[in-house]
Amino acid sequence: MPEFLTIRDAAGGLRQVPARDPDGRPLTAAQAAYLSGLFPAPALCSGLGRCGRCRVRFLDAPPAPGPEDAALLPAEDLAAGWRLGCRHPAEPGMAMEIPVAPRGPLAPQAAGGVDLALAVDLGTTSLQWTALDREGNAVARGGELNPQMGAGAEVMSRLAHAAAPGGAAQLRSLVLDALRRACAGLPGRVRTLAIAGNPAMTLLLLGRPVSGLAAAPYRLDYRGASTETLAPDLPEAYILPQLAPFVGGDVAAGLAALSLDPDGYGAPTAPWVLADLGTNGEFALVLPGGEALLASVPLGPALEGVGMRFGRLAEPGAVCAFLLTPAGLAPVRLPGGPDVPGITGTGYLSLLARLRSLEVLDEAGGFVPGQTPLARKVAASLGERGGEPCLGLPGGLHLPARDVEELLKVKAAFDLAISRLLAEAGLAARDLTAVCLAGALGRHVAPADLEALGFLPPGLGDRVRAVGNTSLAGAALALTDPAARAWVEALPGRCRVLDLADDPGFQAAYLARMRFLHMGAGDGGAAA
């Protein structure tokens, strides 16, 4: 029996892909499709069976639908052979259809034109880039979802896939192809790269061992701040310094971009915090004198809209906020496109903040009947789906209890990291001059929502700064400014790492913070 399966794509083409991983282990139907590299992976929920974006249609002998299939797919789709690809194995010889168009063939770089440099932010969820000319001017920008998404949305799922023989090479190949796509089609030839990424993504890109990050006690086996050869057809890449096992070049680049402030944005005055909130939360508390205290906590991909029932990355038409009106909740959508049946991470935070203000959601994250007329109107849509408490929302959306729990976990981890850093420095939250939120979250979230949900103590919201993609900005600085590169290479000597996971009080402090209420550094078992 052949070890391949056949996929019919949205363009009607037929492709054969391996039905096993490089070690011969079974793959799910979704993994087989998206780890092949032939198709751009959507933002998947790591096999939890919650997002529905991995749907595939089995063209013959479809497997019996499971409860997750029945919960997310209409009865007519189930009858037509559609299933969740993450819940069913890929079998050699099978044939299936996916509603995704294939990638085009890889194009070579331009043979002529101006010399360019490419700054890259290599994140767990996405890869973003900026092409720069000799004068450091941006001539093109772009990005795509990290093509490793088929192995899972978060760092640990990637590391688990990389542990199998051939798995790391497969993940490396996917990102190398993404870099080739970034280089192709530019008005010139890329002569050099600078890459800012977290340690796991960086090690996978370089083909270096990731065992130091796979299990405690964690260790950082590669420090970056070096120029590396990625592939014969790609330019050499400068890798920004890695600061700690789970605090990488993205934070080093962000600290450089904010501290050196080449665009005159206004460098924060110490003490201030940089919070880079992806699937892993990376925090840096910058103190007077230039020392930085570092911490990291696993957040999961919920803040990026991944893994939630209606979660979406920030895209035109997606719900990014909720308003309270006399008629109840009203969604606010990102402009620029038709309505999308999805909610961004900031949209979920806005929703929970509105529910907390109505007291339809209690501190522990449970749904409760409202006491005011408006609250009772909103709470009238409370019910159950699949045996789970659920709140109906406008536009055919709903909020299941487990989505609330996912965001409560994020809040607990965020609260704990900030509190622990402040305690270590002997500071109070009111001493901070700025809390700089990097990425899409900072650009769209309302600081008042963070206060309402307990991410920040009351009164600190007015010090929140949305600073955008500081990782990409810092990578560009390292390419164009020798003084900036020297600054960032000296940064590790000014950093001290707090190992929160190794703190014996971590679990108790984390569980105590599983409430929509900010807790101080000494609350709930946190170490002083």
Side-chain angles (χ1 to χ4, degrees), residues 429-508:
R430 63 179 176 273
D431 296 324
L432 294 175
T433 65
V435 178
C436 299
L437 298 183
L441 179 77
R443 194 161 57 245
H444 298 295
V445 74
D449 293 344
L450 296 177
E451 285 191 24
L453 298 175
F455 282 74
L456 298 169
L460 200 62
D462 60 359
R463 300 180 205 179
V464 170
R465 283 195 191 184
V467 293
N469 192 337
T470 54
S471 174
L472 187 57
L477 267 184
L479 275 175
T480 58
D481 185 345
R485 185 176 294 198
W487 187 95
V488 80
E489 289 186 356
L491 181 60
R494 302 195 300 273
C495 293
R496 183 158 56 92
V497 182
L498 305 185
D499 188 347
L500 299 185
D502 197 42
D503 183 339
F506 175 83
Q507 192 65 19

Side-chain angles (χ1 to χ4, degrees), residues 177-191:
D177 280 350
L179 292 176
R180 293 182 179 106
R181 287 190 290 273
C183 291
L186 294 173
R189 187 169 184 83
V190 177
R191 299 295 183 181

Side-chain angles (χ1 to χ4, degrees), residues 396-439:
L397 307 174
H398 59 266
L399 176 68
R402 54 183 169 174
D403 280 0
V404 178
E405 183 180 9
E406 287 304 309
L407 285 164
L408 195 51
K409 292 175 184 177
V410 174
K411 177 269 163 187
F414 183 102
D415 184 351
L416 180 54
I418 293 286
S419 297
R420 185 68 181 88
L421 284 169
L422 289 172
E424 183 70 18
L427 297 172
R430 63 179 176 273
D431 296 324
L432 294 175
T433 65
V435 178
C436 299
L437 298 183

Side-chain angles (χ1 to χ4, degrees), residues 108-120 129-133 139-140 179-195 230 232-237 479:
Q109 285 201 60
V114 298
D115 288 348
L116 299 174
L118 194 72
V120 179
W129 54 264
T130 299
L132 307 165
D133 63 17
V139 298
L179 292 176
R180 293 182 179 106
R181 287 190 290 273
C183 291
L186 294 173
R189 187 169 184 83
V190 177
R191 299 295 183 181
T192 184
L193 291 165
I195 296 176
L230 301 180
D233 61 334
L234 285 170
E236 288 193 327
L479 275 175

